[in-house]
Amino acid sequence: MTSASFQSTSGPARRTVVAAAGVAGLAVALTACGGSDDDSSGSADASGSAGASGGSASASTGGGAAAGAALTTTADIPEGGGKVFDDQKVVVVQPTAGEFKAYSAVCTHSGCAVKSIADGVINCPCHNSNFSVTDGSVKSGPATKPLPAVQITVSGDSITLA
């Protein structure tokens, strides 16, 4: 006795349809949880030095900021804290008195915007990643890459994008 397998040739097999649906769902999940397309995290130097102590920051621009754009005054940036500039996608901080630094305001974990700075830490509300105001390094994850440094110029009491 021979048993023949009968399969309709008019459409794809059920296994093919289920596999395709699984792949499509995985693609959607990866797109939603993926990072930004630019690999700007590699633009910060290894030591994380991005600071401007009354001068220019020393790392490359990241996060969609427009060069030469006036951001704020030094009086608006509290010592040990900072301010997020959503339109420029930049966060400016003052780790110690008179030392100003800037980083991309785009979290390296999933591309959310960082929202607050408190107690020397830049906070991302999406998944609770925290970054140091001193060098942009990760203080707690899930982010694994530091915030890329952004060049700024401090001239008198004015802070501008370099």
Side-chain angles (χ1 to χ4, degrees), residues 34-36 105-113 124 126:
S36 63
V106 179
C107 180
T108 57
H109 171 244
S110 65
C112 295
C124 178
C126 291

Side-chain angles (χ1 to χ4, degrees), residues 9 21 25 62 79-80 102 110 141-142:
T9 57
E79 185 178 343
S110 65

Side-chain angles (χ1 to χ4, degrees), residues 99-121:
E99 179 185 22
F100 297 91
K101 297 183 178 189
Y103 305 101
S104 170
V106 179
C107 180
T108 57
H109 171 244
S110 65
C112 295
V114 299
K115 291 294 180 193
S116 63
I117 302 97
D119 301 320
V121 177

Side-chain angles (χ1 to χ4, degrees), residues 23-135:
V23 169
L26 180 62
V28 169
L30 290 176
T31 301
C33 293
S36 63
D37 289 339
D38 65 333
D39 190 16
S40 59
S41 62
S43 64
D45 62 349
S47 67
S49 64
S53 191
S56 296
S58 62
S60 64
T61 301
L71 286 176
T72 189
T73 63
T74 57
D76 289 339
I77 308 299
E79 185 178 343
K83 186 174 179 182
V84 178
F85 297 90
D86 291 324
D87 291 343
Q88 293 84 1
K89 297 181 182 175
V90 172
V91 57
V92 177
V93 296
Q94 184 179 189
T96 59
E99 179 185 22
F100 297 91
K101 297 183 178 189
Y103 305 101
S104 170
V106 179
C107 180
T108 57
H109 171 244
S110 65
C112 295
V114 299
K115 291 294 180 193
S116 63
I117 302 97
D119 301 320
V121 177
I122 302 166
N123 305 297
C124 178
C126 291
H127 301 105
N128 229 12
S129 289
N130 295 300
F131 304 89
S132 170
V133 296
T134 304
D135 58 7

